[in-house]
Amino acid sequence: MTTIKLHNTKTRKKEVFTPLDPENVRMYVCGPTVYDRAHLGNARPVVVFDVLYRLLRHVYGPDHVTYVRNFTDVDDKINARAAETGRAISDITAETTQWFLDDMGALGALEPDHMPRATQYIPQMVEMIEALIAKGHAYEAEGHVLFAVDSWREKYGKLSGRSIDDMIAGARVEVAPYKKNPMDFVLWKPSTDDLPGWDSPWGRGRPGWHIECSAMSYELLGESFDIHGGGNDLMFPHHENEIAQSCCAHPEGSFAKMWLHNEMLQVEGKKMSKSLGNFFTVRDLLDQGIPGEVIRFVFLSTHYRKPMDWTAEKAREAKDTLWKWRQLTDGSERHRRPHLEVLEALADDLNTPLALSVLHKKFKEANTNEDASRFLATLEVLGLGRNWRDGFQNAVEDAIETVNHLKLLEKRMEAMRREAMQSKDFSEVDQMKAALSEAGVEVRMSKSDVKLIQGANFDPAKLESLK
């Protein structure tokens, strides 16, 4: 059996993964708050843990792996969106949940075994909060119920490596007169008549953010399970608070045995931000004609524990590579065994860049139908290959045609610029730049050449007039 090694955030070292029960390997990953489209950064943990899910299924068998990823469908952001749009909260959450599933499916992500919604588990949350109060780990104050961090003081902060004193000094926490400690966090809060609410021993209200994952993971995976994952932005306070309340409510268990966190995403070397004009949703890229498999390939090109930089150049390279690989595997039957070298790379803390490097090598060496079928089986472990969706071929052909078109336009602009420098008349160059800008193409000129880069608002249809 393949030996899997994973970097455990909790111990800060790579460890051999030994499941609590090989017949029932269990993983929980924090899912989205459903009030809007998933942006590119939201998609990274989905792809990372989809690869791990596929690896676990390959090693232990599909029937012996349970993957849970939740939907947060009760949250102040959702309430604000409802107030802003005048739409019913249930309509917003239903719509955005389906958006998320569609967009992640386009990236080749398998759906988890369970996708619980917070609103389906309110009674279990209330029960857990009652247990925390009874055990002296939580208290009621002014209609709120708060977790008492001091009751878990010696262990709180171990995941993120922070002390309570440092957190109080450096963190921006909600200061409220009813808190015994500034770091105490909300388990339950009151709801006004215009907000979602449920009856509870503390009055009509709704749960805090952190309690939902503790309650749902306990109900679906038990008091102890193998892996808990998410983006490293969730490490504190969300995951830290999950550990505290789960271990205090169920001291007979250990909660999550291993913790995995992926690093964040940048766009063209900068933090993704609407103010910088480099903010993309997954749907934005799909609608621009970038296939989901291309987005997935770019994600896999960077190790999950390193910051990932999305660039148009990486997307173009991924399109070209996937097109060549598709041609090799067209018509191939899936081989029973993927390439061992790729499995070994994935088993070494999900080293997807190494796995892709091995595939590049195997592609060059492939010269028989047997090679092609095994190559296809290997792609499937990475979420590629047979899972390419309807329209992939046309999408890639269109994307490659666009790339070639931009290259021709680059050459034309270089010639136009040379002529303009001789004539001192730059009007045609300026007109071309304006037309490209209108199509969402960024023009980068240096002394030696011209580069055309697809921007956030790229519209290939607007390039037609420039042929």
Side-chain angles (χ1 to χ4, degrees):
M1 180 179 286
T2 303
T3 299
I4 299 175
K5 295 181 179 180
L6 301 170
H7 185 273
N8 189 350
T9 307
K10 194 171 184 178
T11 60
R12 290 162 179 75
K13 62 182 180 181
K14 192 187 297 184
E15 301 174 356
V16 173
F17 173 67
T18 305
L20 297 168
D21 177 5
E23 297 296 310
N24 185 19
V25 181
R26 288 158 286 171
M27 177 170 69
Y28 186 95
V29 175
C30 292
T33 300
V34 283
Y35 68 99
D36 206 345
R37 286 281 187 186
H39 61 67
L40 204 53
N42 298 143
R44 193 179 190 196
V46 173
V47 173
V48 167
F49 291 101
D50 181 67
V51 172
L52 178 55
Y53 181 42
R54 290 171 180 273
L55 177 64
L56 293 172
R57 285 163 59 93
H58 179 83
V59 173
Y60 295 97
D63 296 335
H64 302 295
V65 180
T66 303
Y67 175 21
V68 179
R69 187 185 66 220
N70 72 298
F71 285 106
T72 297
D73 60 350
V74 53
D75 184 86
D76 289 343
K77 291 179 181 178
I78 302 172
N79 299 339
R81 183 56 53 88
E84 172 189 327
T85 61
R87 298 182 63 198
I89 286 174
S90 58
D91 291 344
I92 292 172
T93 57
E95 179 181 61
T96 51
T97 295
Q98 193 58 52
W99 283 351
F100 182 86
L101 293 174
D102 292 344
D103 292 349
M104 298 308 108
L107 303 188
L110 299 173
E111 290 194 355
D113 300 283
H114 301 282
M115 295 184 288
R117 304 183 185 193
T119 53
Q120 299 171 334
Y121 287 79
I122 300 295
Q124 290 87 341
M125 296 181 210
V126 170
E127 183 179 351
M128 180 174 279
I129 294 170
E130 288 180 311
L132 289 168
I133 293 174
K135 294 175 182 180
H137 293 293
Y139 60 93
E140 182 182 2
E142 298 184 19
H144 296 73
V145 181
L146 298 108
F147 183 87
V149 169
D150 283 333
S151 72
W152 186 248
R153 191 176 187 89
E154 291 185 5
K155 297 182 180 179
Y156 189 78
K158 296 297 183 184
L159 179 68
S160 55
R162 310 180 185 194
S163 71
I164 292 180
D165 291 338
D166 288 343
M167 286 188 273
I168 292 175
R172 289 176 289 181
V173 296
E174 180 187 356
V175 178
Y178 48 78
K179 284 189 175 185
K180 295 179 180 179
N181 181 318
M183 295 305 300
D184 292 349
F185 56 89
V186 173
L187 302 173
W188 189 264
K189 54 188 173 182
S191 287
T192 55
D193 292 340
D194 61 326
L195 293 175
W198 290 262
D199 292 333
S200 80
W202 319 286
R204 183 177 181 277
R206 60 195 191 278
W209 174 33
H210 314 296
I211 193 68
E212 66 177 84
C213 288
S214 288
M216 290 187 286
S217 63
Y218 175 74
E219 288 297 317
L220 295 170
L221 300 177
E223 69 274 5
S224 303
F225 55 93
D226 297 293
I227 298 169
H228 195 313
N232 68 357
D233 58 324
L234 298 179
M235 192 184 310
F236 180 85
H238 186 51
H239 289 164
E240 203 72 75
N241 293 349
E242 275 189 71
I243 293 172
Q245 61 201 11
S246 294
C247 290
C248 288
H250 303 289
E252 70 279 8
S254 58
F255 195 44
K257 182 179 178 182
M258 298 190 81
W259 287 83
L260 273 69
H261 292 90
N262 64 274
E263 258 288 356
M264 295 296 99
L265 177 141
Q266 297 178 324
V267 174
E268 301 289 351
K270 297 178 181 179
K271 182 178 178 180
M272 190 167 63
S273 167
K274 290 182 180 179
S275 63
L276 294 176
N278 66 348
F279 183 91
F280 297 98
T281 66
V282 173
R283 181 51 51 183
D284 288 336
L285 296 181
L286 294 172
D287 288 347
Q288 288 175 23
I290 300 177
E293 292 76 12
V294 168
I295 301 172
R296 185 182 184 96
F297 189 100
V298 175
F299 281 1
L300 299 183
S301 300
T302 301
H303 193 274
Y304 78 94
R305 288 199 300 112
K306 293 184 178 180
M308 200 212 85
D309 189 20
W310 171 272
T311 69
E313 182 63 29
K314 288 179 181 178
R316 285 195 292 270
E317 292 173 355
K319 290 172 188 173
D320 291 343
T321 297
L322 286 169
W323 176 240
K324 289 185 291 187
W325 289 2
R326 174 63 184 262
Q327 289 177 307
L328 170 68
T329 59
D330 265 349
S332 298
E333 292 298 323
R334 188 177 75 83
H335 198 282
R336 287 178 297 174
R337 292 185 297 114
H339 287 292
L340 180 60
E341 298 97 315
V342 171
L343 289 176
E344 289 176 341
L346 297 179
D348 185 12
D349 196 28
L350 302 183
N351 193 340
T352 53
L354 178 57
L356 294 179
S357 177
V358 172
L359 278 173
H360 282 295
K361 178 182 176 183
K362 296 297 182 183
F363 173 78
K364 293 178 180 178
E365 295 173 350
N367 53 29
T368 67
N369 288 335
E370 176 81 3
D371 292 338
S373 63
R374 194 165 186 187
F375 192 89
L376 177 59
T378 309
L379 286 174
E380 289 185 351
V381 178
L382 289 165
L384 301 169
R386 184 76 69 185
N387 291 328
W388 282 328
R389 297 176 181 276
D390 293 341
F392 171 80
Q393 182 167 340
N394 290 337
V396 172
E397 287 175 342
D398 290 345
I400 291 176
E401 181 181 352
T402 297
V403 171
N404 291 336
H405 189 187
L406 287 174
K407 288 179 179 178
L408 290 174
L409 290 175
E410 285 176 350
K411 291 181 179 179
R412 190 194 300 180
M413 278 210 72
E414 287 175 357
M416 291 172 63
R417 186 176 64 166
R418 285 195 298 270
E419 292 177 7
M421 292 179 71
Q422 293 290 331
S423 65
K424 307 301 181 184
D425 180 3
F426 287 85
S427 58
E428 288 190 9
V429 174
D430 291 339
Q431 289 174 10
M432 176 68 84
K433 287 175 67 175
L436 289 166
S437 178
E438 176 65 21
V441 177
E442 179 186 353
V443 180
R444 297 181 183 177
M445 290 186 174
S446 66
K447 292 182 179 179
S448 58
D449 60 14
V450 174
K451 291 291 184 185
L452 302 182
I453 308 296
Q454 297 177 34
N457 300 315
F458 176 65
D459 183 354
K462 293 182 178 179
L463 290 181
E464 293 299 316
S465 62
L466 300 178
K467 283 189 175 180

